[in-house]
Amino acid sequence: MDAAFTAEQDEIRRTVRELLAASRAPGDDGSAGRTADGYDAELWRRLARDPGLPGLALPPEYGGTGRGPAGLAVACEETGRARLPSPLIATAVLAAPLIAALGTDEQRTALLPRIADGGLTAALAVPGGSLATALGLTGDDTGGAWAGGGRAGGMQARPVPGAKGWRLYGEAAQVLDGHSAGLLLVAAHAGGFPRSRTLLFLVRPEVAAGTVRTRRTSLDGTRPRAGIELRDTGAELLGADDTVDVTGALASAGPPAAALLAAEAVGAAAGVLERMADQVGEGERSPGRATGSAECVKHRLAELYARVQEARSAAYYAAWNPAAAGGLALAQALEALRDTAAEAVRLPGGPGPAREQEAHLSFRRAAADELLFGPAHRLRDHAARRAGLFGGAPDPAAPGTAERVAV
């Protein structure tokens, strides 16, 4: 692995950082420019135009730039540093890879270029509030119980007799950006209990009757969530037929998503740490200002800096090899963000209302991500079990197992 960033990756970082800096006024908490959708639509269009943010990891034949997870990780670190409210995670990190993996040529051609140019946002709707399990990050997703298991509840699908379409029934309680997405990817069970299987369906909320979307209160306002109810809603099957391996595709999408979320959390932690260092410097330049023991504070900042840098290294290794390290990198990055933000709140000398608010918002980001994709101890536990660290052989079906065993 070459740990150095390429000139192209440096250019992506510079472009994203400059666009975000130009769009944010001093003291802005990230709410400026937000619409009812929860993000600044004009800024999103600019990021989609240059550097092509939502299409960085998509293949060129579908309007992307083919930079892969490593290229997108650089951009995610910068959006995390600015704590940017955007549909990036829901659309480019969760939904687009599933469309690319399972969609027919016709579906990919119709949807992916629109995602790449920022004209279409998407959200992955998983019933039961079990996104981390569905992605194979905190548990085994092959059983399908997280999608309803074919019993009452969850999300159910039935084919329309004599037609190509499907009808969906059920509810997904915690859908990231589900209130505003132009396209929903809905995980549902089909076939009834004896021979049930999990499938993914495309739902266009603006035209699909029976779709009810309710934005819900979120711990982190930059990570809006929605409840989705489908009441005899028309849907299109993602893929050529109902034999596609949906659970396998979800498990394959989970580690890269975790790596990109880790990069975003590292960026947020680095931003908090930089502002803490500025605050300590201001305190030293103000003789009459009580800042506590400057040496103790500096030692603590040095410890946090080391933790953030370790988490950053783990995140970029995971972007290069997500199957081997995605979940572990996310756990490390979320803990680094949580601890850095907590220390910023406690920093002596009075951070001032604006900086204190930033620290609290960053702490909420870490907590909200743990609720949706973790928690950190379960991410670590599942990775350890799949690697065979608690006895027994490693799971041969686990992504990246062969590489770990070989090493």
Side-chain angles (χ1 to χ4, degrees):
M1 174 186 177
D2 184 358
F5 292 107
T6 65
E8 187 176 53
Q9 289 169 337
D10 287 336
E11 180 64 17
I12 291 171
R13 182 187 304 280
R14 183 193 65 78
T15 303
V16 174
R17 184 175 295 193
E18 288 181 356
L19 279 171
L20 295 180
S23 69
R24 191 167 184 177
D28 180 12
D29 66 355
S31 61
R34 285 196 221 172
T35 65
D37 290 341
Y39 62 92
D40 185 337
E42 177 57 32
L43 175 58
W44 175 248
R45 284 190 288 269
R46 291 202 301 270
L47 288 167
R49 187 169 56 247
D50 185 13
L53 190 59
L56 282 174
L58 289 176
E61 58 266 33
Y62 296 115
T65 56
R67 301 300 178 254
L72 187 52
V74 171
C76 285
E77 185 179 356
E78 293 305 314
T79 61
R81 184 186 298 271
R83 216 177 50 256
L84 176 71
S86 82
L88 178 65
I89 297 299
T91 300
V93 174
L94 296 176
L98 292 170
I99 296 172
L102 298 178
T104 63
D105 288 340
E106 181 181 0
Q107 289 169 336
R108 291 194 292 263
T109 301
L111 299 174
L112 292 180
R114 294 180 60 204
I115 288 176
D117 67 17
L120 177 66
T121 59
L124 176 61
V126 173
S130 51
L131 182 58
T133 303
L135 293 172
L137 296 176
T138 59
D140 182 9
D141 73 337
T142 57
W146 50 268
R151 300 177 174 85
M155 193 72 72
Q156 310 299 322
R158 66 171 178 82
V160 177
K164 287 181 63 177
W166 292 71
R167 312 298 292 185
L168 302 184
Y169 310 79
E171 178 181 3
Q174 299 288 336
V175 181
L176 186 62
D177 287 315
H179 65 294
S180 62
L183 178 70
L184 297 177
L185 269 68
V186 182
H189 262 282
F193 176 63
R195 52 184 298 274
S196 66
R197 59 209 181 279
T198 305
L199 301 172
L200 279 174
F201 298 89
L202 303 173
V203 175
R204 294 165 176 81
E206 299 302 324
V207 299
T211 305
V212 179
R213 303 196 283 180
T214 306
R215 183 169 179 175
R216 294 185 170 169
T217 302
S218 175
L219 183 61
D220 176 12
T222 66
R223 283 269 200 262
R225 306 180 194 181
I228 307 293
E229 292 182 51
L230 302 180
R231 304 168 180 173
D232 194 23
T233 301
E236 175 188 348
L237 180 68
L238 179 63
D241 54 49
D242 60 3
T243 62
V244 294
D245 183 11
V246 168
T247 56
L250 285 166
S252 296
L260 295 170
L261 284 160
E264 188 189 55
V266 164
V272 173
L273 193 59
E274 288 169 3
R275 290 183 282 274
M276 289 171 66
D278 290 343
Q279 180 184 334
V280 171
E282 290 174 8
E284 289 186 326
R285 291 189 294 271
S286 303
R289 187 175 178 185
T291 59
S293 172
E295 289 303 313
C296 288
V297 172
K298 287 180 180 179
H299 280 300
R300 181 56 178 153
L301 288 180
E303 292 173 1
L304 290 171
Y305 176 80
R307 290 198 60 187
V308 172
Q309 289 301 104
E310 288 171 359
R312 189 171 188 250
S313 297
Y316 279 101
Y317 174 74
W320 176 73
N321 189 0
L328 292 174
L330 179 56
Q332 189 169 355
L334 290 176
E335 288 177 338
L337 174 56
R338 183 182 61 201
D339 292 350
T340 303
E343 193 67 29
V345 174
R346 295 192 294 263
L347 187 66
R355 285 180 176 166
E356 185 172 5
Q357 183 185 32
E358 276 199 56
H360 280 290
L361 291 174
S362 297
F363 188 87
R364 289 185 177 190
R365 165 64 66 89
D369 278 2
E370 279 206 74
L371 288 173
L372 194 59
F373 298 102
H377 72 273
R378 288 190 61 194
L379 289 165
R380 284 199 172 93
D381 177 78
H382 186 61
R385 291 182 185 280
R386 299 199 77 176
L389 298 184
F390 295 149
D395 180 359
T401 297
E403 294 181 19
R404 290 192 295 270
V405 172
V407 171

